[in-house]
Amino acid sequence: MNQYDIPSNAIITIAGTVGVGKSSLTRAIAEKLNFRTSFENVEHNPYLDKFYHDFTRWSFHLQIYFLAERFKEQKRMFEYGGGFVQDRSIYEDVDIFAKMHEEQGTMSPEDFKTYSNLFDAMVLTPYFPKPDVLIYLESDYDTVIERIQTRGRQMEIETDPEYWKMLFQRYDDWINQFNACPVVRVNIKEYDLFDDPDSIDVVLKKIEHVIHTYRQVDQRS
């Protein structure tokens, strides 16, 4: 255990739309708990730049790549025995990104079906290791756009704002029906990593409560 009474083998996943601050919170929580971190491999993704220039051509390739990488990472974290904070979950891709592209016509129905079937076979099984808790970061749309502009990734800045608006709404719809693991909702205004790093104590207390509540339920089952 650590000072927050969060089990040292816990796996904490952080979810939320692009630009909401998942990576920063991942680092901050991991440092507080002395956990390892798990980040998306954005820099070495062979499809990401191509995808932002041509959604229709590369959306299927990108989603398959992400699915494979996230599956391997989930397996790695559990093989280590837990103790990880993860930036973005494996669950977001199928119901948010892939489905959005299928509905917008930038992924064919055939490709979406193939991707969804593969996702179900890999993830929706009793054997797939689930996180102890998923932290969902909430924000308003204008703040998200400001953060995307501030961090200055050219491929994101050049993306049509309507894409970010659709993505923002998709996340809101998704979390309202998500039930794969326990969820902690956190508004990004509840803490300030730059001016008050200790303000994430409120987040850690929420994590502690949820993990212990659900582990006690599992033990009684």
Side-chain angles (χ1 to χ4, degrees), residues 38-201:
S38 172
F39 290 102
E40 284 188 304
N41 190 1
V42 174
E43 299 302 323
H44 298 93
N45 187 319
Y47 299 110
L48 199 56
D49 283 341
K50 298 175 182 177
F51 163 76
Y52 276 110
H53 285 95
D54 190 342
F55 287 171
T56 303
R57 174 70 178 85
W58 296 107
S59 62
F60 177 73
H61 300 74
L62 181 68
Q63 292 306 138
I64 291 294
Y65 176 85
F66 275 138
L67 178 59
E69 291 299 304
R70 296 198 212 288
F71 186 88
K72 289 188 294 184
E73 187 62 7
Q74 200 79 359
K75 182 172 177 287
R76 182 181 77 90
M77 290 190 296
F78 276 86
E79 287 175 346
Y80 262 104
F84 275 87
V85 185
Q86 182 184 30
D87 175 7
R88 196 186 292 279
S89 75
I90 197 170
Y91 303 102
E92 295 158 68
D93 287 309
V94 65
D95 290 324
I96 298 176
F97 292 91
K99 186 60 178 174
M100 181 172 69
H101 284 291
E102 192 264 344
E103 290 182 358
Q104 294 298 312
T106 50
M107 181 184 291
S108 72
E110 295 81 9
D111 282 348
F112 178 72
K113 183 177 181 180
T114 297
Y115 170 79
S116 297
N117 288 341
L118 181 59
F119 177 92
D120 290 350
M122 294 171 67
V123 178
L124 301 185
T125 73
Y127 313 105
F128 183 76
K130 299 177 180 180
D132 289 274
V133 63
L134 181 143
I135 302 172
Y136 181 71
L137 294 183
E138 298 178 314
S139 177
D140 60 88
Y141 174 72
D142 290 339
T143 299
V144 167
I145 293 301
E146 287 175 10
R147 290 190 173 200
I148 290 173
Q149 295 290 331
T150 299
R151 75 180 182 184
R153 290 179 182 168
Q154 197 62 31
M155 58 188 175
E156 293 178 351
I157 293 172
E158 294 174 354
T159 298
D160 187 342
E162 284 301 311
Y163 175 80
W164 302 126
K165 190 174 293 185
M166 286 189 295
L167 189 61
F168 183 87
Q169 185 58 54
R170 291 250 173 205
Y171 262 97
D172 191 53
D173 295 340
W174 169 77
I175 196 61
N176 287 328
Q177 53 80 41
F178 178 78
N179 60 7
C181 71
V183 173
V184 170
R185 290 177 180 250
V186 176
N187 191 291
I188 63 173
K189 293 181 180 179
E190 292 181 43
Y191 61 89
D192 186 340
L193 297 179
F194 300 100
D195 294 331
D196 184 12
D198 288 336
S199 62
I200 65 166
D201 283 352

Side-chain angles (χ1 to χ4, degrees), residues 14 22-30 37-39 85-87:
I14 300 179
K22 295 184 297 297
S23 298
S24 297
L25 187 60
T26 295
R27 294 186 188 94
I29 291 177
T37 55
S38 172
F39 290 102
V85 185
Q86 182 184 30
D87 175 7

